[in-house]
Amino acid sequence: MEELQYLNPTELLEKIYDTLCSEYEDEAHYDNEKDKQDIEVTKRRLTKKVFNEFVVDDEYFLTMDSKTFKERYHLYEKDLLKMITGCSENGVPYEKFIRIIDDLLASANHRLNAFEQLNEEITRIKTEKEQEEQESEEVIEEESEEEEEA
């Protein structure tokens, strides 16, 4: 299996994902409305458990600081849940599933990197402007001192 860039899959992730896939398979065998409702609840809970089991930079989504999660992954939460559902509903093999999730996490990280680059560039520009203003003030002060001496 090719190396993943961002997702650090756990053994539990694979087990939960496999269980979720089996719930989708089993669903076709139930006719009772109560059983179907129970399966829906189970699928929703397992989907959220899969999501919470994602580990990026040694941090689980479940235990990640809310500020960090919001900054990095909040915009991708619906997409990640949609990917989990789409993959498990259609029986996408686990190895392919984690590659798909890793690709989406890569997108989130590229977005974060772009904003970090923007912030760095803004800081650089502000620093240059401050230096230019300071140099201009020094030149004006020197000219002023020269005029007073003359």
Side-chain angles (χ1 to χ4, degrees), residues 1 55 79 93 120 133 143 147:
M1 175 169 65
V55 178
D79 290 338
E120 288 171 5
E133 288 173 4
E143 290 175 353
E147 287 177 6

Side-chain angles (χ1 to χ4, degrees), residues 13-73:
L13 175 62
E14 183 172 7
K15 291 175 183 177
I16 298 169
Y17 178 75
D18 288 343
T19 303
L20 180 57
C21 289
S22 73
E23 284 295 313
Y24 277 101
E25 291 172 13
D26 293 350
E27 182 178 33
H29 303 289
Y30 289 94
D31 295 328
N32 180 321
E33 193 59 36
K34 173 75 170 111
D35 289 336
K36 286 186 177 197
Q37 289 174 351
D38 290 345
I39 287 174
E40 281 303 312
V41 169
T42 302
K43 290 188 311 189
R44 281 195 305 273
R45 300 268 309 151
L46 286 171
T47 298
K48 190 62 176 173
K49 285 187 79 56
V50 167
F51 179 83
N52 287 335
E53 191 65 21
F54 290 156
V55 178
V56 180
D57 296 329
D58 297 325
E59 289 187 80
Y60 285 83
F61 275 15
L62 178 64
T63 56
M64 187 178 286
D65 175 66
S66 62
K67 182 180 181 259
T68 302
F69 179 82
K70 185 174 182 178
E71 180 182 85
R72 296 179 183 182
Y73 305 109

Side-chain angles (χ1 to χ4, degrees), residues 2-8 56-57 102-103 105-107 109-110:
E2 71 183 65
E3 189 138 339
L4 302 172
Q5 292 181 311
Y6 298 98
L7 182 66
N8 300 317
V56 180
D57 296 329
D102 191 62
D103 284 346
L105 292 172
S107 175
N109 277 282
H110 288 305

Side-chain angles (χ1 to χ4, degrees), residues 84-98:
I84 295 166
T85 300
C87 287
S88 57
E89 183 176 12
N90 293 288
V92 172
Y94 176 74
E95 291 77 20
K96 183 64 176 172
F97 163 71
I98 59 173

